[in-house]
Amino acid sequence: SQTIHQWPATLVQPVGSPLSLECTVEGTSNPNLYWYRQAAGRGLQLLFYSVGIGQISSEVPQNLSASRPQDRQFILSSKKLLLSDSGFYLCAWTPGTGMNNQPQHFGDGTRLSIL
Amino acid sequence: AQSVTQLGSHVSVSEGALVLLRCNYSSSVPPYLFWYVQYPNQGLQLLLKYTSAATLVKGINGFEAEFKKSETSFHLTKPSAHMSDAAEYFCAVSDPTGTYKYIFGTGTRLKVLA
């Protein structure tokens, strides 16, 4: 069966510090991968998605970036965190079938607090 | 462009009462639709999905939803609420024409009163 892992579960960082959040998927090949940020009362904001190694689509211009160095690994990064980067970050995957009639499968999320 | 509207950011029901959570979508073509549930500090879990088969879709935990094209709606219902149903619920739509994106509503927080 497929599983998705996200870490860390919680993170407290000072303003201006770098960030690296990691997401890995097991039990499938060539998944589509997604990073979302969730703010209270505002639903899920799609940040990045990837349909293959090295292929990243950015949805929102900001000081975050994403990379996909391996087929089942998706990393969210920042060089300098802002207060506005606080939130709950979720990674998700879908089968890379070329059709999006499949539901997304989510990790347990990372709670990021910027001080 | 696809969009999803969830009416009511907070809904309260008594235990044993009917649960009705509303979702309306905007799409130029019939979309694929999903309902998810989220418990505090957890990821989203799929409740059910509509992918152009039967218009009445049954999901986990006794939930079901009906796709109504004429009303562009996909409301989520459960005949009898349990305390364990207290959570946040999200409706989502994907674009059947080929992009890989999913659009989420802003969520409805369900409170179940004893």
Side-chain angles (χ1 to χ4, degrees):
Chain A
S1 63
Q2 303 91 353
T3 57
I4 178 169
H5 302 282
Q6 252 189 273
W7 67 93
T10 59
L11 189 60
V12 180
Q13 293 284 95
V15 170
S17 64
L19 173 74
S20 180
L21 302 181
E22 190 161 342
C23 172
T24 59
V25 179
E26 297 178 357
T28 189
S29 297
N30 196 33
N32 298 330
L33 297 171
Y34 303 79
W35 277 113
Y36 290 90
R37 178 167 59 204
Q38 186 177 19
R42 298 181 66 180
L44 275 69
Q45 179 186 33
L46 178 62
L47 301 176
F48 302 94
Y49 68 95
S50 171
V51 300
I53 296 175
Q55 300 180 59
I56 308 295
S57 296
S58 174
E59 289 297 301
V60 183
Q62 54 202 333
N63 69 322
L64 298 173
S65 62
S67 61
R68 185 170 176 173
Q70 301 180 40
D71 181 44
R72 292 169 290 175
Q73 184 184 31
F74 205 23
I75 297 172
L76 183 69
S77 303
S78 175
K79 293 182 179 179
K80 283 188 175 183
L81 285 167
L82 306 172
L83 283 174
S84 58
D85 291 324
S86 292
F88 192 52
Y89 288 81
L90 288 161
C91 181
W93 74 273
T94 59
T97 59
M99 298 177 62
N100 57 349
N101 61 349
Q102 297 296 316
Q104 293 185 299
H105 304 273
F106 286 83
D108 288 334
T110 295
R111 176 75 60 189
L112 176 62
S113 299
I114 310 300
L115 304 178
Chain B
Q2 307 279 340
S3 67
V4 175
T5 301
Q6 289 184 244
L7 290 177
S9 59
H10 293 80
V11 171
S12 294
V13 300
S14 298
E15 191 174 20
L18 172 71
V19 176
L20 171 60
L21 304 181
R22 299 179 186 274
C23 173
N24 289 88
Y25 68 90
S26 172
S27 173
S28 57
V29 296
Y32 302 128
L33 293 154
F34 308 88
W35 274 101
Y36 294 87
V37 61
Q38 185 182 32
Y39 299 99
N41 293 312
Q42 294 186 22
L44 277 68
Q45 178 185 0
L46 180 71
L47 281 175
L48 48 82
K49 64 179 182 180
Y50 168 77
T51 55
S52 73
T55 57
L56 183 62
V57 181
K58 294 187 182 298
I60 63 171
N61 301 340
F63 284 94
E64 62 182 36
E66 186 173 8
F67 174 72
K68 292 186 176 181
K69 183 178 178 181
S70 61
E71 298 177 7
T72 60
S73 69
F74 190 55
H75 301 332
L76 181 71
T77 61
K78 182 173 180 177
S80 176
H82 294 171
M83 297 299 290
S84 60
D85 294 327
E88 189 154 23
Y89 293 80
F90 291 92
C91 183
V93 60
S94 66
D95 182 357
T97 63
T99 72
Y100 296 98
K101 296 188 289 188
Y102 295 73
I103 307 301
F104 285 79
T106 52
T108 297
R109 187 168 297 280
L110 177 65
K111 186 175 182 179
V112 182
L113 307 172

